[in-house]
Amino acid sequence: MNFELLIQEAFKGREKAYVPYSNFKVGAAILTDSGKIYNGCNIENASYGATNCAERTAIFKAVSEGEKEIKAIAVVGSPEEYTFPCGICRQVISEFAKEDTPVIIAKNENEFLVNRLDEILPGAFTKKDLIK
Ligand code: THU
């Protein structure tokens, strides 16, 4: 899997960030099992709670196109520090990913961390708890 390409796509998503309130741009990109890549940005709102994170934008774009399986996700926030997905985004990733799905947290194409999803969301509550 080409993590560098996914990071580049996350940066492309980041360019579109709509962040008039925090001025904190985030981009994300997911690779799906069909082989397609979807990117996304954070989209803020005057009613702050209505803000959508970059990860969820990318995931919702993909799912709305019929995708159901995330093979990898890359996230880029501040290029100076690693920006980990927020708790809500970890939960949404878990809906469409597996325990060992790589979550790539990048400062840039050369500096990135790779965590399995279950390392950043241990003991996740998922469909396995509901669908028997
Ligand atoms: N943000 C994301 O896009 N993803 C995360 O995982 C963390 C937070 C955004 C939401 C908001 O627009 C800004 O970062 C500051 O919280």
Side-chain angles (χ1 to χ4, degrees), residues 28-101:
I30 62 171
L31 173 67
T32 65
D33 60 343
S34 71
K36 287 194 190 156
I37 292 176
Y38 296 82
N39 68 22
C41 60
N42 50 339
I43 304 168
E44 297 188 341
N45 194 281
S47 177
Y48 296 172
T51 291
N52 207 57
C53 291
E55 299 90 321
R56 280 178 284 142
T57 302
I59 293 167
F60 295 155
K61 280 170 71 176
V63 174
S64 67
E65 293 296 324
E67 305 279 2
K68 296 258 180 329
E69 178 80 34
I70 298 172
K71 290 288 169 200
I73 177 164
V75 185
V76 293
S78 162
E80 280 88 47
E81 284 177 60
Y82 292 114
T83 301
F84 280 71
C86 79
I88 296 173
C89 289
R90 294 177 201 205
Q91 181 66 28
V92 174
I93 295 166
S94 80
E95 185 70 24
F96 301 104
K98 298 205 159 64
E99 292 181 344
D100 64 353
T101 300

